[in-house]
Amino acid sequence: MSDQPRPRASLRTAVVWEVLKEALDRQVKATGRDALDVLDTGGGTGNFAVPAAKLGHRVTVVDPSPNALFALERRAAEAGVADRVRGVQGDILGLFDVVERDGFDAVLCHGVLEYVDEPAAGVRNAVEALRPSGALSLLAAGLGGAVLARALAGHFTEARQALTDPAGRWGEGDPVPRRFTAEQLSDLVSDAGMEIAAVHGVRVFADLVPGVLVDTEPGAVEALLKLEAAAAEQPAFHSVATQLHVLGEKRH
């Protein structure tokens, strides 16, 4: 997990990064090229783009926020990978206004589908940006995690609302427009013509454990990271994860 900026911060990204890094390594072996072309849609300030560039890959980040892209540029420069990271203003529904089809070995779509009007169209665009045998990394908000979090906070009516709402929202004040089950995300990937390579639950425990416990107990962060990694692949925990990660591989 050496590419992660801080142990505490890595609780949010460690599982996804490990899966993604392994997928990129497989792509390197499959293509015979050390440097891959990676597209990060909604990649913001470069949480995944910069570590991917540090592995030697060329990364294009498409994001609607000029401020995020400015921060990405600065972050890439500080990491010494400015020559391998390119930021472009745009969004996934208008993806081919700013990037080419069939131009990438891997596409990241993290924290995007919750906010777009047409998630299925977004996934189709991500897949169409891939070269043959490309890989898709999809990360989105999980329904069950939100229900559990509201219930544990004592907001039982809101928990029930999220459970029954078609979009998985707990009320008008919910900042997340849409949440998904593992099955819904997997169906979106399959319907776009990809094979499901893996499904992981992300932040199964990290958002439920009191921060003070993690920050003050010696070895707690490392132990929690190991627990998250062990639970991530267990289907039983997918239904209570804060986020869900689906890795898809393009069919030949």
Side-chain angles (χ1 to χ4, degrees):
M1 317 239 176
S2 58
D3 290 298
Q4 295 302 322
R6 297 182 308 279
R8 186 75 172 91
S10 72
L11 285 169
R12 295 182 174 273
T13 59
V15 168
V16 178
W17 173 246
E18 290 302 314
V19 174
L20 178 61
K21 186 175 180 297
E22 290 174 8
L24 293 175
D25 289 345
R26 286 196 299 272
Q27 288 291 101
V28 166
K29 291 176 183 175
T31 61
R33 291 184 283 110
D34 290 336
L36 303 174
D37 293 303
V38 179
L39 174 64
D40 190 353
T41 64
T45 61
N47 283 343
F48 288 92
V50 169
K54 287 171 74 174
L55 294 177
H57 305 305
R58 296 176 293 269
V59 187
T60 298
V61 176
V62 174
D63 197 279
S65 168
N67 290 338
L69 293 174
F70 178 76
L72 166 72
E73 185 177 343
R74 186 173 63 239
R75 186 174 186 174
E78 290 172 353
V81 295
D83 59 326
R84 293 197 291 274
V85 177
R86 178 173 72 108
V88 183
Q89 190 172 359
D91 62 55
I92 197 165
L93 294 183
L95 192 58
F96 301 116
D97 294 334
V98 293
V99 301
E100 67 275 18
R101 297 176 192 269
D102 308 314
F104 300 91
D105 301 294
V107 173
L108 282 56
C109 182
H110 295 171
V112 172
L113 297 186
E114 299 94 321
Y115 299 98
V116 298
D117 293 333
E118 301 174 65
V123 175
R124 285 196 300 271
N125 280 355
V127 172
E128 288 179 21
L130 286 168
R131 291 172 178 148
S133 302
L136 171 67
S137 175
L138 185 65
L139 181 69
L143 170 64
V147 173
L148 186 61
R150 299 317 286 176
L152 290 178
H155 304 299
F156 307 123
T157 300
E158 290 180 351
R160 183 165 52 85
Q161 170 69 18
L163 193 58
T164 57
D165 183 70
R169 303 185 77 232
W170 47 256
E172 289 298 318
D174 193 335
V176 179
R178 187 181 293 104
R179 293 184 179 87
F180 301 88
T181 64
E183 291 75 18
Q184 288 170 332
L185 280 184
S186 296
D187 286 346
L188 285 173
V189 174
S190 296
D191 291 347
M194 301 201 82
E195 300 283 357
I196 305 296
V199 179
H200 292 87
V202 180
R203 288 154 58 190
V204 175
F205 307 103
D207 293 347
L208 302 177
V209 176
V212 64
L213 174 67
V214 178
D215 293 332
T216 59
E217 189 73 21
V221 170
E222 290 74 15
L224 183 52
L225 279 169
K226 291 178 181 177
L227 177 60
E228 288 281 356
E233 297 185 29
Q234 301 293 327
F237 289 102
H238 294 170
S239 59
V240 294
T242 298
Q243 292 179 307
L244 295 162
H245 182 248
V246 177
L247 183 68
E249 294 179 346
K250 204 166 187 180
R251 297 167 183 157
H252 297 287

